[in-house]
Amino acid sequence: MVGSFEVTAQDPTSAARCGRLVTAHGVVETPAFMPVGTQATVKTLSSEDLEELGATMILGNTYHLYLRPGAERIDRLGGLHRFMSWSRGILTDSGGFQVMSLSSLRRVDEDGGTFRSHLDGSTHRLTPERAIQIQELLGSDVAMVLDECLPYPGPPPEEVEASLRRTERWAERALRAHRRHDQLLFGIVQGGMEPDLRRQAARHLAQMDFAGYGIGGLSVGEPKELMYQLLDVITPELPPDRPRYLMGVGSPDAIAEAVARGVDLFDSVLPTRIARHGTVFTRQGPITIKNARYAEDDQPIDPQCDCKVCRRYSRAYLRHLFNAGESLGPRLGTYHNLYVLLRLMERIRAAIRQGTFAQVRQEAAALFPPRQGSPGSDPAPTTEVNR
């Protein structure tokens, strides 16, 4: 039945679990990572590439698709699945993250947010009801409520609480507005970096009949350890029979730590964005393929990887492509990074079933160790509107 979620395995040493989420376009085995398809495309890759990689659900960006080509136009063309020739699952965000990140280009009030397009400066209004209407027109399998995402470091606690209460009222309005029976609606837990507010928010949201629960407002620049501490507070308060989605997290180490705390779904531009700039995953940690040291390196990106990029091309060749400005370089790097991450998710699921998750958790930490001198969280856009 569409919307059903079943926990199929539980790790004996942590809160990690496997599950099956049934959507209108197939079953998503969790824990799962969703590549981000901002403009109805995962940058540089085709739908065929994503099928080959084994992605079962991708993320579509409501803000961008609303502005261009328009939700009504996509609806007339048969919906987002048909528009991009993708037959598997699609989750759409509400557009709230992008609107909130516009800073000087937006104004938020009790009813919603008013913002100016980053494309042409035109003025638009996004309310909880309009966010639902847009996502229903897109026809995604999972829609998200409109929420207010706060930056890090955030405002004083009293302002965080006021923002949270508004987000909760918006969630109630979104529930009332949602009509599509073949589309699942997820609520979103906010509350800034305040543990008590996060606990309250999770408890309040758990009382509402959402098909799943997003955890927003994390991976916005805070130290990863703080994110983990907040997840320890949030996930125990969410219904165990509903999927939990940590929004905007895509580094292998953070995914494994969040899985250990009971999270089921993830998305992030991290693996694709860093690939387009020449950074690729290896078992020894990420490397920047554009560096001079790889100019005559005839090894694959990762000798232990069996993706088609590593089976055929050398580091020297990829470095040449990037330095020559050839579009094939970002494409091959993106394919490799998503292959590594999607295979990691497969290993995580298998390890949970076999009771060996602790070992894979350590392997994930080696794939993407925190950068020295940095807070360690995923790169978070501040003025950009791409998640």
Side-chain angles (χ1 to χ4, degrees):
M1 182 179 72
V2 171
S4 66
F5 177 74
E6 175 190 9
V7 176
T8 58
Q10 182 75 54
D11 178 54
T13 62
S14 72
R17 61 193 197 161
C18 290
R20 296 178 80 253
L21 174 63
V22 181
T23 77
H25 288 84
V27 174
V28 179
E29 298 284 347
T30 66
F33 177 78
M34 300 176 288
V36 175
T38 301
Q39 311 259 16
T41 174
V42 175
K43 293 184 187 302
T44 76
L45 299 184
S46 66
S47 292
E48 291 88 342
D49 291 327
L50 294 169
E51 290 167 354
E52 185 177 274
L53 282 163
T56 54
M57 180 174 278
I58 62 174
L59 184 137
N61 192 293
T62 296
Y63 169 88
H64 286 279
L65 296 174
Y66 160 72
L67 290 178
R68 182 177 57 191
E72 284 78 7
R73 175 169 292 166
I74 289 176
D75 180 47
R76 291 193 298 271
L77 291 169
L80 188 54
H81 289 87
R82 184 175 178 185
F83 183 60
M84 64 181 296
S85 189
W86 174 251
S87 61
R88 301 177 185 177
I90 298 177
L91 181 148
T92 45
D93 56 16
S94 67
F97 178 87
Q98 284 73 29
V99 171
M100 302 311 161
S101 69
L102 288 170
S103 180
S104 61
L105 300 179
R106 54 87 174 171
R107 176 177 58 82
V108 178
D109 55 43
E110 178 61 28
D111 188 53
T114 301
F115 66 96
R116 284 189 287 126
S117 165
H118 72 289
L119 297 174
D120 58 11
S122 57
T123 301
H124 301 267
R125 181 75 173 159
L126 192 63
T127 65
E129 294 80 8
R130 179 58 174 149
I132 292 298
Q133 181 189 32
I134 293 168
Q135 292 177 88
E136 289 185 338
L137 288 168
L138 294 174
S140 56
D141 298 279
V142 178
M144 304 300 297
V145 301
L146 184 66
D147 63 327
E148 185 173 10
C149 183
L150 298 176
Y152 176 82
E158 60 272 17
E159 293 182 29
V160 176
E161 182 170 10
S163 171
L164 169 61
R165 301 308 172 208
R166 180 163 51 234
T167 287
E168 291 174 339
R169 292 189 290 272
W170 286 358
E172 293 168 351
R173 288 167 56 185
L175 263 177
R176 293 194 295 269
H178 189 244
R179 295 289 182 268
R180 275 193 84 138
H181 298 298
D182 60 346
Q183 183 183 65
L184 312 179
L185 182 63
F186 282 20
I188 302 177
V189 177
Q190 288 289 350
M193 303 297 155
E194 305 294 328
D196 288 342
L197 288 179
R198 285 285 184 170
R199 185 180 292 107
Q200 292 175 31
R203 287 177 178 173
H204 187 180
L205 213 62
Q207 296 172 5
M208 303 184 201
D209 192 23
F210 285 107
Y213 294 87
I215 302 169
L218 297 179
S219 191
V220 291
E222 79 282 3
K224 282 184 178 175
E225 286 303 323
L226 176 56
M227 178 172 70
Y228 303 152
Q229 291 167 17
L230 291 170
L231 288 176
D232 286 333
V233 169
I234 296 166
T235 54
E237 303 295 340
L238 296 176
D241 63 343
R242 304 293 168 92
R244 304 156 181 164
Y245 160 37
L246 180 54
M247 308 174 72
V249 169
S251 64
D253 57 327
I255 286 176
E257 288 303 314
V259 166
R261 290 161 171 82
V263 175
D264 307 296
L265 294 168
F266 302 86
D267 84 282
S268 176
V269 298
L270 175 76
T272 51
R273 178 178 287 170
I274 64 174
R276 295 196 305 276
H277 291 88
T279 297
V280 287
F281 296 141
T282 77
R283 296 293 203 286
Q284 286 70 48
I287 64 171
T288 301
I289 205 70
K290 294 188 289 186
N291 287 350
R293 61 186 295 186
Y294 302 115
E296 296 187 16
D297 190 336
D298 64 356
Q299 292 187 95
I301 295 173
D302 185 346
Q304 295 177 274
C305 178
D306 63 352
C307 78
K308 68 180 184 182
V309 178
C310 288
R311 290 199 311 266
R312 184 158 190 166
Y313 301 106
S314 69
R315 293 175 175 178
Y317 181 62
L318 260 74
R319 178 183 183 273
H320 159 71
L321 293 175
F322 274 100
N323 288 347
E326 291 289 340
S327 60
L328 182 59
R331 175 176 165 79
L332 295 180
T334 297
Y335 189 99
H336 167 81
N337 276 3
L338 284 182
Y339 183 92
V340 170
L341 205 49
L342 292 171
R343 296 297 79 75
L344 173 64
M345 303 312 297
E346 286 182 355
R347 292 205 305 280
I348 285 174
R349 292 193 295 268
I352 293 171
R353 296 187 191 104
Q354 296 162 8
T356 59
F357 172 67
Q359 179 180 339
V360 178
R361 188 176 178 181
Q362 290 181 333
E363 292 175 12
L367 272 172
F368 202 80
R371 294 178 183 175
Q372 194 171 15
S374 76
S377 58
D378 288 357
T382 50
T383 56
E384 289 188 62
V385 289
N386 290 341
R387 178 180 271 285

